[in-house]
Amino acid sequence: MGNHLLEVRDLSVRFHTAQGMVNAVNGISWHLDRGETLAILGESGSGKSVSASAIMNLIDTPPGEITAGQILFDGVDLLQAAPEMRRRTNGKRISMIFQDPLSHLNPVYPVGWQIAETALAHGWTKTAAYDRALSLMARVGIPDPQAALSKYPHEFSGGQRQRLMIAMALMLKPEILIADEPTTALDVTVQAEVLSLLEELKAETGMGLVLITHDLGVVADAADRAVVMEGGRIVEAGTPHDLYHSPKHPYTQKLLAAAPGKGVMRTAGKLAPPILEVHDLKKSYGAFEALRQVGFDLHAGETLAVVGESGSGKSTIARLVLRLEEATSGQVLWKGEDLLAKSPKEMAKLRRQLQMVFQDPTQSLNPHMTVFEIISEGWAIHRDILPKSQWRARVAELLEQVGLSAAHAMRAPHQFSGGQRQRIAIARALALEPEVIICDEAVSALDVSIQKQVIDLLGDLRDRLGIAFLFIAHDLPLVRDFADRILVMQKGEIVEQGTVHQIFDAAQHPYTQRLLYAGLDADPDVQAERRRKRRMLERA
Amino acid sequence: MNDTDIDVNAPVKTAPRTGRAGTMLRLLWADKLAFGAAVFVIVIVLCATIGPAVLADAASGTNLRLRNAAPFSMEHGPLYILGGDALGRPLLARIIVAAQNTMMIAAGAVVASLLIGGFLGLVAGYVGRMTGEVIMRLADVIMSFPSLLLAVIVLYMLQASIANLILVLAITRIPVYLRTTRAEVLEVRERMFVKAAQVMGASSRRIVFRHILPVILPTLLTIATLDFAFVMLAESALSFLGIGIQAPEITWGLMVSQGRQYLTSAWWLAFWPGLVIVLTTMSLNLLSSWMRIALNPTQRWRLEIGGKSNG
């Protein structure tokens, strides 16, 4: 003890909130050495980011309050240090990158200026600062760095922006880099690249890396050591290998069990006749083609997963099929009738057969309505489904079907947690007794363990009620245990489609293969193997 | 909020059902400032409804011996506690009687412009681009015209009556609501719960009134209460120009403008009606900011736990 680069000792932080005092972290301790990657793993609300905020002096007091503990950096307790000294430490010796790079880059300045600014603020000359910015931008893999210096943040892709943030953070050669969910907002293939970059940079500079994440895969891929947090406490610590193969704490075990891609793949039985046929569907915004010539069938009672990265056009399909947007051309046949040719009135009637569950239940449930009003709204629109006298009983029944209770009906959506809200959204979709439910990234906003619960619920509903699902996701492992067939999309086109077995065991298209290897596995050994394969694929 | 376990059997944490009115009263009591404001507004409304019937004679009875009588003296009876005006009429009685005209004009103009502007704004924001554009250009026409000038022209052509005054003031204030409503609708209509309602097959009318309106209503009500003061002052300006309310009819605005020439010698002539205007506006403002929280289910806890709400 005592000679660590950074050591957090018995840190306790609490926040004054409307619900009273909340202990965000409770007596947590961890340490970091030079050249090491420490992962802090936890779900939302576990307090995983709080210690990083305390290190960077980002906790607002009030409402926050650091009640106990020390943060030793090079032997000095940062919590006791003068503000001036902490300011000089931030950015220069310890720097931080965040989840959403777009909101941390100023849109009105060119990125070169923003990267150089850190150095200018610490007294560098302009030439020296720009030279370093240029070499760093080349290092983090920005194409044509000289020209990129004078470009603005919106001209870069999400992955490139995160690279820019990394360049900015490394400007002054910090000894510690704290990365708070650095890859959560990125596509899988980009995520793998950014993690590799962080790894390389750590090896080159010998800095310590703190990686805050909710993703077991990230831990397996990049961490030397990891601490697992739950409810403001560290419940377990160890190497990723130990954590995966011999988890001691029940919470770690639960997390591991919830990691997707472990169950038995479904073998499709005999296919029922198709109920939804999509032919040559096209959508363009001006010259940009979001969707070109897409066609597929959805059979009754089947689960079809549409997988692709951002910009692949997968959500566009959902919006076009449901006529939330008008297609440029093509046909969507619902039991033989073209939905795209229906008048708004006819469409309104048909809608009850095709329902949708949205990505973020916080936004898709009207905050001004109670759960009862939300679920029964469909019956108020389609009067013939259920007489009003039975609404109450049926709402109770639906709530129980999705794992909530009848007593929840009179509450407002904000009184529920994220997973519960998604259950309400599912109950709303079920209320109309649809034959197809389209799930647009329906679980991507949820924590891993909740993800599993919701997927299990959907699987259960499918088996009991025979509903067909069009399940849109950006993540292949997630759909592995759930889907019957998979469509893989890239840049507005379907590059491959087949049964789950075909895709996972014998993917043909190079893009599908890349997606498979880019996905992060919770098992460090499997992950190391994937990383090797990915490298090979890159070289090929 | 921790997601990991879903406690299906947790007790429902809503207060015992005392009905909507009961809940609202409880929430109002929780915010003492808003409660005070509500009491003041009720007093003003009472003055406006029964004041003229009781005090009309006292308010118009001149008594030249009491010209510009000083306030805070009870020797001429309680009605003269706030002093007397230039013709020796008791100020307190006049303020109470004037409440009716003032409230009628202000409330009439505000409500009319709120309804018309809000409705047109909903249409302009939700229906289609063409309709929206036409409505917006009409609003631009109204806005590009100085409102006072418009009022002068209209009131010269029409008779200066309370109804016409309401009409003119309402027209000049319509664009404020129209533009706000349209801007908010354009934002709210893209929200996910509106898309979710579309997926369920909800009609445009249902989406607009059930999903969009409740979200933007608090904003509109807040503007309306602010506008209340504006309209009262605009009315007094028109009255001052001689095209609004004419003596012997009285409004607070008219009292302020009549008292202005005596400001150096008898400040109370303009001060008391001015104070009532300020207090009324402020009360409405406090009420609207309370209402904004009380009507929003995600914010209501702020009132339920007590403590500050108008922060």
Side-chain angles (χ1 to χ4, degrees):
Chain A
M1 294 279 278
N3 282 330
H4 300 300
L5 176 60
L6 179 70
E7 189 178 353
V8 173
R9 269 193 209 162
D10 302 318
L11 184 72
S12 293
V13 178
R14 58 184 188 181
F15 289 91
H16 299 259
T17 68
Q19 276 80 28
M21 208 72 91
V22 174
N23 288 312
V25 294
N26 230 332
I28 60 161
S29 306
W30 50 262
H31 63 85
L32 177 77
D33 291 321
R34 272 174 220 283
E36 182 189 42
T37 303
L38 173 79
I40 303 180
L41 177 73
E43 297 189 291
S44 53
S46 64
K48 60 182 187 293
S49 301
V50 176
S51 48
S53 305
I55 295 168
M56 299 302 286
N57 202 12
L58 293 177
I59 295 179
D60 289 327
T61 48
E65 187 187 347
I66 298 172
T67 50
Q70 289 178 306
I71 295 174
L72 298 176
F73 174 56
D74 243 2
V76 181
D77 186 358
L78 287 179
L79 295 180
Q80 304 298 327
E84 179 58 25
M85 162 189 175
R86 298 198 68 173
R87 219 163 46 78
R88 270 185 284 126
T89 309
N90 280 3
K92 188 167 184 189
R93 302 187 65 192
I94 307 178
S95 59
M96 189 161 178
I97 57 175
F98 302 89
Q99 174 174 345
D100 179 11
L102 189 55
S103 60
H104 288 94
L105 289 168
N106 191 330
V108 301
Y109 292 107
V111 294
W113 184 88
Q114 294 188 56
I115 294 177
E117 192 202 7
T118 330
L120 293 172
H122 282 87
W124 288 36
T125 65
K126 207 171 165 186
T127 4
Y130 272 92
D131 282 350
R132 171 121 179 105
L134 186 63
S135 66
L136 270 174
M137 279 170 77
R139 177 62 198 91
V140 297
I142 301 287
D144 194 3
Q146 187 66 52
L149 275 177
S150 49
K151 285 191 185 169
Y152 290 86
H154 70 269
E155 296 175 85
F156 295 91
S157 70
Q160 286 174 334
R161 279 184 216 129
Q162 193 58 283
R163 288 164 189 271
L164 291 170
M165 286 296 291
I166 293 172
M168 204 185 284
L170 294 183
M171 197 64 194
L172 297 166
K173 303 185 181 131
E175 291 154 70
I176 295 172
L177 178 63
I178 300 172
D180 192 352
E181 300 268 12
T183 56
T184 309
L186 304 178
D187 282 329
V188 262
T189 53
V190 183
Q191 156 167 309
E193 288 162 12
V194 169
L195 285 176
S196 304
L197 173 67
L198 283 172
E199 190 90 335
E200 289 166 25
L201 291 169
K202 186 196 73 177
E204 279 169 29
T205 59
M207 63 182 178
L209 181 62
V210 179
L211 204 56
I212 300 167
T213 181
H214 69 282
D215 190 346
L216 280 161
V218 172
V219 176
D221 186 65
D224 298 315
R225 278 188 307 116
V227 294
V228 183
M229 289 196 64
E230 187 207 6
R233 290 175 195 281
I234 291 180
V235 295
E236 194 164 355
T239 64
H241 194 273
D242 289 345
L243 286 179
Y244 184 79
H245 291 285
S246 50
K248 292 185 189 63
H249 195 274
Y251 178 72
T252 320
Q253 291 163 359
K254 197 175 129 198
L255 269 186
L256 284 169
K262 290 275 168 289
V264 191
M265 283 192 262
R266 285 164 58 87
T267 315
K270 248 187 94 191
L271 285 179
I275 42 174
L276 184 73
E277 297 167 61
V278 173
H279 297 301
D280 298 332
L281 197 59
K282 245 190 189 174
K283 174 74 186 174
S284 37
Y285 299 96
F288 174 69
E289 290 187 308
L291 208 60
R292 22 188 152 174
Q293 307 275 341
V294 167
F296 61 88
D297 293 344
L298 178 69
H299 303 263
E302 145 189 80
T303 304
L304 177 65
V306 181
V307 179
E309 297 188 295
S310 52
S312 62
K314 56 189 192 302
S315 298
T316 310
I317 293 184
R319 287 200 300 272
L320 295 184
V321 168
L322 289 173
R323 294 273 302 272
L324 292 176
E325 264 177 60
E326 295 301 324
T328 309
S329 67
Q331 271 188 320
V332 177
L333 298 182
W334 172 250
K335 295 175 179 169
E337 293 178 71
D338 191 358
L339 286 183
L340 301 186
K342 296 273 175 214
S343 73
K345 238 197 184 122
E346 292 170 318
M347 192 62 205
K349 273 206 190 110
L350 276 173
R351 283 189 186 281
R352 54 175 288 200
Q353 303 175 20
L354 293 133
Q355 279 303 297
M356 183 155 172
V357 175
F358 294 85
Q359 173 171 6
D360 186 355
T362 315
Q363 291 171 28
S364 70
L365 302 176
N366 189 335
H368 288 265
M369 294 164 89
T370 64
V371 171
F372 175 80
E373 288 170 318
I374 288 170
I375 295 177
S376 61
E377 186 175 23
W379 305 325
I381 297 166
H382 303 276
R383 294 269 170 198
D384 48 333
I385 300 181
L386 203 66
K388 202 162 183 176
S389 54
Q390 291 171 29
W391 286 11
R392 203 157 286 278
R394 179 77 178 126
V395 166
E397 198 183 326
L398 282 167
L399 282 174
E400 268 154 30
Q401 204 163 37
V402 297
L404 297 169
S405 90
H408 289 125
M410 294 326 287
R411 295 202 208 170
H414 72 273
Q415 292 173 294
F416 295 86
S417 65
Q420 289 172 314
R421 283 185 205 142
Q422 198 58 297
R423 285 165 192 266
I424 297 169
I426 292 169
R428 167 173 67 184
L430 289 177
L432 290 171
E433 295 160 15
E435 291 169 57
V436 174
I437 294 184
I438 299 181
C439 298
D440 188 5
E441 302 264 14
V443 296
S444 13
L446 306 175
D447 278 330
V448 195
S449 54
I450 312 300
Q451 249 178 18
K452 183 169 164 52
Q453 291 175 6
V454 172
I455 292 264
D456 287 348
L457 170 67
L458 291 175
D460 181 46
L461 292 172
R462 168 186 62 195
D463 297 341
R464 269 194 293 160
L465 306 174
I467 298 171
F469 281 96
L470 188 64
F471 193 88
I472 295 166
H474 63 277
D475 200 6
L476 269 172
L478 191 70
V479 300
R480 182 176 172 275
D481 315 341
F482 179 61
D484 295 310
R485 290 191 301 130
I486 298 178
L487 300 180
V488 180
M489 294 197 61
Q490 185 192 18
K491 291 180 185 152
E493 277 169 320
I494 297 177
V495 294
E496 186 163 4
Q497 55 177 311
T499 63
V500 196
H501 287 281
Q502 285 166 347
I503 297 284
F504 275 90
D505 297 338
Q508 299 299 317
H509 196 277
Y511 179 70
T512 317
Q513 291 171 347
R514 248 177 67 208
L515 268 186
L516 281 171
Y517 297 139
L520 299 177
D521 196 274
D523 184 341
D525 302 332
V526 175
Q527 184 52 37
E529 175 65 16
R530 277 202 194 161
R531 195 179 247 238
R532 204 178 52 75
K533 280 193 185 157
R534 203 175 65 227
R535 288 266 158 78
M536 277 168 52
L537 208 65
E538 271 165 26
R539 282 194 208 111
Chain B
M1 209 179 285
N2 201 335
D3 250 338
T4 42
D5 44 308
I6 291 178
D7 52 339
V8 175
N9 301 314
V12 180
K13 205 189 76 187
T14 41
R17 290 183 66 78
T18 47
R20 261 191 109 82
T23 322
M24 279 295 155
L25 265 180
R26 199 164 41 77
L27 290 178
L28 188 58
W29 180 243
D31 185 349
K32 296 293 182 291
L33 270 176
F35 186 79
V39 170
F40 185 80
V41 170
I42 289 172
V43 168
I44 294 291
V45 171
L46 281 179
C47 289
T49 41
I50 56 177
V54 180
L55 291 168
D57 292 340
S60 53
T62 54
N63 184 344
L64 290 180
R65 276 193 302 137
L66 291 176
R67 287 191 63 203
N68 293 350
F72 310 122
S73 142
M74 292 289 274
E75 63 186 278
H76 310 293
L79 285 179
Y80 282 91
I81 180 106
L82 299 182
D85 74 355
L87 294 174
R89 296 172 293 199
L91 275 174
L92 181 60
R94 286 180 68 76
I95 287 175
I96 292 174
V97 172
Q100 186 169 56
N101 279 339
T102 313
M103 283 291 132
M104 210 148 73
I105 292 168
V110 166
V111 168
S113 54
L114 174 66
L115 288 180
I116 298 171
F119 177 75
L120 289 177
L122 285 172
V123 173
Y126 196 77
V127 177
R129 272 193 64 188
M130 272 309 287
T131 332
E133 285 297 310
V134 171
I135 294 176
M136 289 314 288
R137 294 298 80 79
L138 279 176
D140 288 347
V141 169
I142 299 180
M143 280 188 92
S144 61
F145 228 83
S147 55
L148 220 53
L149 186 61
L150 182 72
V152 169
I153 294 171
V154 171
L155 288 176
Y156 263 122
M157 294 193 308
L158 303 171
Q159 194 113 70
S161 70
I162 289 182
N164 285 337
L165 204 56
I166 291 177
L167 180 80
V168 166
L169 289 171
I171 288 174
T172 57
R173 300 311 289 165
I174 282 176
V176 179
Y177 300 96
L178 204 163
R179 292 186 149 259
T180 319
T181 311
R182 177 174 167 274
E184 291 251 319
V185 170
L186 288 179
E187 189 257 318
V188 175
R189 65 178 285 180
E190 295 304 322
R191 292 207 197 161
M192 273 303 159
F193 59 82
V194 174
K195 293 267 175 263
Q198 271 176 321
V199 168
M200 277 194 286
S203 61
S204 296
R205 198 173 51 170
R206 185 177 187 88
I207 289 174
V208 167
F209 288 106
R210 192 85 177 83
H211 291 279
I212 296 181
L213 192 59
V215 180
I216 60 179
L217 198 59
T219 316
L220 291 184
L221 288 179
T222 309
I223 301 179
T225 54
L226 288 174
D227 238 21
F228 223 85
F230 180 90
V231 168
M232 276 193 257
L233 295 176
E235 172 265 314
S236 73
L238 290 176
S239 304
F240 179 73
L241 289 175
I243 48 176
I245 294 296
Q246 299 305 317
E249 291 284 324
I250 37 175
T251 67
W252 294 338
L254 191 60
M255 288 174 72
V256 172
S257 59
Q258 283 173 347
R260 220 168 45 171
Q261 46 190 317
Y262 301 99
L263 214 49
T264 44
S265 54
W267 53 268
W268 49 91
L269 260 60
F271 176 78
W272 295 120
L275 184 69
V276 178
I277 291 180
V278 169
L279 286 179
T280 310
T281 322
M282 208 168 68
S283 298
L284 288 169
N285 250 315
L286 287 171
L287 267 183
S288 85
S289 92
W290 166 82
M291 200 150 52
R292 185 174 46 94
I293 297 169
L295 288 181
N296 188 340
T298 56
Q299 299 281 321
R300 201 174 286 160
W301 57 267
R302 290 175 194 278
L303 292 171
E304 276 163 357
I305 59 160
K308 55 183 191 292
S309 64
N310 285 312

